[in-house]
Amino acid sequence: MAKAFASQGDTAEKKISFTEVGKDLWAFTAEGDPNSGVIIGDDSVMIVEAQATPRLANMVIDKVREITDKPISHVVLTHYHAVRVLGASAFNADQIIMSDVARGMVMERGQEDWDSEFQRFPRLFEGHESIPGLTYPTTTFSDSMTVYLGNRKVEIKQIGRAHTAGDSVIWVPDEQVMFTGDIVEKHSACYCGDGYFGDWGNTLDNVKAYDPQSIAPGRGDALVGREAVDEAIELTRDFVNSTYKPVAQVAARNGTLKDAWDACREVCDPKFKDYAIYEHCLPFNVARAYDEARGIAHPRIWTAQRDLEMWEALQG
């Protein structure tokens, strides 16, 4: 039987967890599905990551309403991917915040990314009929911005490229808690298809330099305490490096994409095959690593057609 492409065969609902990572700071996680974060201020609430559809966003809202009735005033989107942003309308927030670079990527490739991700992971797009269209920010920033939720200071920053060119992190200094988006993962594969392998390690160093006491990662369980934070950062680093190095070696000797796939699997399968969405991410990760190793500096746009052509090439 032919293997299902990406996560087309993943139909099982995931168990939701809602974990406090600091005072009035929460991580909404779901066994490797995209996470969201909740930051409660004096008078209002900030959401980090909007989920793929309003249906999924309402699951986040339900959890928020279990702990506070304060209005949701801000939604921060760490990058442009459809599974992170298309549920934003459900929050009815006054401000939707992205970096300037992330907004540019919505303009450049937002529709193509939506079409591609919809094909890759149908379960995450249940209720897609309620998506009003692409999510555009009301507010953007270059480098950094600060939001005050009453007396609570929230810093939104770009500290380096990793998962995408427009990645942002959200830092809450009063609790030393960071929301990293997909720069850091917990026992989940990193999706590197739009990433920058050469920059990712330095960006992880920049995360670590904040000395976060807890992290709400992009996928996987909340990271509470320095030990959990440090372990996840180093495992993320190992995943990225272990993906890129064998592929780069193949590219250096003018091997094929299929050769690179085989070499990557040989290194990564023993270490990461039980990670969430590992099989989903692997073909895209190999394709991007192969491009980067051959000097293609910026990720090419994924389309539904390119996805399938790549998959056919890897299946031989």
Side-chain angles (χ1 to χ4, degrees), residues 162-163 190-200 238-265 267-268 281-300 302 306 310 314:
H163 178 67
C190 301
Y191 174 74
C192 310
D194 299 302
Y196 293 80
F197 287 94
D199 292 0
W200 206 311
D238 186 35
F239 185 95
V240 172
N241 291 340
S242 296
T243 300
Y244 183 70
K245 287 179 180 178
V247 173
Q249 289 167 355
V250 170
R253 64 173 189 264
N254 294 318
T256 66
L257 182 63
K258 179 64 166 60
D259 294 334
W261 161 266
D262 292 339
C264 185
R265 294 209 75 122
V267 173
C268 289
C281 292
L282 192 64
F284 304 99
N285 294 357
V286 170
R288 172 57 192 149
Y290 188 70
D291 276 358
E292 187 169 318
R294 293 183 303 143
I296 299 174
H298 302 296
R300 293 186 286 144
W302 289 103
R306 183 186 168 208
M310 177 268 295
L314 293 178

Side-chain angles (χ1 to χ4, degrees), residues 51-67:
Q51 299 285 321
T53 66
R55 170 185 171 271
L56 290 172
N58 278 313
M59 294 183 181
V60 178
I61 294 170
D62 288 345
K63 289 296 184 183
V64 172
R65 291 296 163 239
E66 290 177 7
I67 56 173

Side-chain angles (χ1 to χ4, degrees), residues 194-210:
D194 299 302
Y196 293 80
F197 287 94
D199 292 0
W200 206 311
N202 289 335
T203 302
L204 290 172
D205 291 340
N206 293 337
V207 169
K208 198 165 185 174
Y210 279 84

Side-chain angles (χ1 to χ4, degrees), residues 9-275:
D10 182 350
T11 59
E13 290 294 325
K14 305 300 183 182
K15 178 183 176 182
I16 292 170
S17 298
F18 199 50
T19 305
E20 192 165 20
V21 294
K23 181 174 172 52
D24 292 330
L25 303 170
W26 296 79
F28 175 99
T29 68
E31 297 185 306
D33 278 1
N35 293 342
S36 289
V38 178
I39 301 171
I40 302 173
D42 295 332
D43 303 311
S44 67
V45 177
M46 175 182 286
I47 301 295
V48 180
E49 312 288 41
Q51 299 285 321
T53 66
R55 170 185 171 271
L56 290 172
N58 278 313
M59 294 183 181
V60 178
I61 294 170
D62 288 345
K63 289 296 184 183
V64 172
R65 291 296 163 239
E66 290 177 7
I67 56 173
T68 182
D69 60 1
K70 295 174 183 178
I72 295 169
S73 56
H74 299 75
V75 172
V76 182
L77 304 171
T78 66
H79 59 285
Y80 73 97
H81 284 154
V83 294
R84 299 291 183 181
V85 307
L86 293 180
S89 62
F91 296 100
N92 294 312
D94 293 333
Q95 291 194 53
I96 299 173
I97 301 169
M98 282 182 182
S99 69
D100 290 333
V101 176
R103 182 188 183 277
M105 298 185 85
V106 173
M107 302 297 292
E108 177 194 41
R109 58 182 70 191
Q111 187 62 56
E112 290 86 350
D113 181 72
W114 181 354
D115 295 342
S116 171
E117 293 200 54
F118 183 87
Q119 173 180 257
R120 298 179 195 182
F121 215 144
R123 175 174 58 79
L124 290 182
F125 288 90
E126 290 177 6
H128 64 90
E129 300 85 357
S130 61
I131 300 171
L134 290 173
T135 296
Y136 298 97
T138 63
T139 305
T140 64
F141 66 94
S142 58
D143 299 324
S144 66
M145 69 176 290
T146 300
V147 175
Y148 285 91
L149 302 175
N151 289 319
R152 169 157 267 178
K153 181 180 183 180
V154 180
E155 299 174 6
I156 309 167
K157 301 185 175 189
Q158 289 193 280
I159 60 172
R161 300 184 304 189
H163 178 67
T164 72
D167 292 342
S168 301
V169 299
I170 295 84
W171 175 243
V172 185
D174 63 43
E175 288 290 302
Q176 286 188 265
V177 170
M178 185 173 282
F179 299 79
T180 63
D182 286 310
I183 295 171
V184 177
E185 312 288 26
K186 168 62 174 176
H187 208 78
S188 176
C190 301
Y191 174 74
C192 310
D194 299 302
Y196 293 80
F197 287 94
D199 292 0
W200 206 311
N202 289 335
T203 302
L204 290 172
D205 291 340
N206 293 337
V207 169
K208 198 165 185 174
Y210 279 84
D211 190 25
Q213 304 303 293
S214 296
I215 281 178
R219 293 178 185 266
D221 293 342
L223 307 167
V224 180
R226 274 198 183 100
E227 183 177 348
V229 166
D230 289 346
E231 179 187 38
I233 289 173
E234 295 314 311
L235 286 173
T236 299
R237 190 191 309 275
D238 186 35
F239 185 95
V240 172
N241 291 340
S242 296
T243 300
Y244 183 70
K245 287 179 180 178
V247 173
Q249 289 167 355
V250 170
R253 64 173 189 264
N254 294 318
T256 66
L257 182 63
K258 179 64 166 60
D259 294 334
W261 161 266
D262 292 339
C264 185
R265 294 209 75 122
E266 185 176 352
V267 173
C268 289
D269 283 6
K271 292 198 279 188
F272 307 119
K273 65 182 178 182
D274 64 336
Y275 275 30

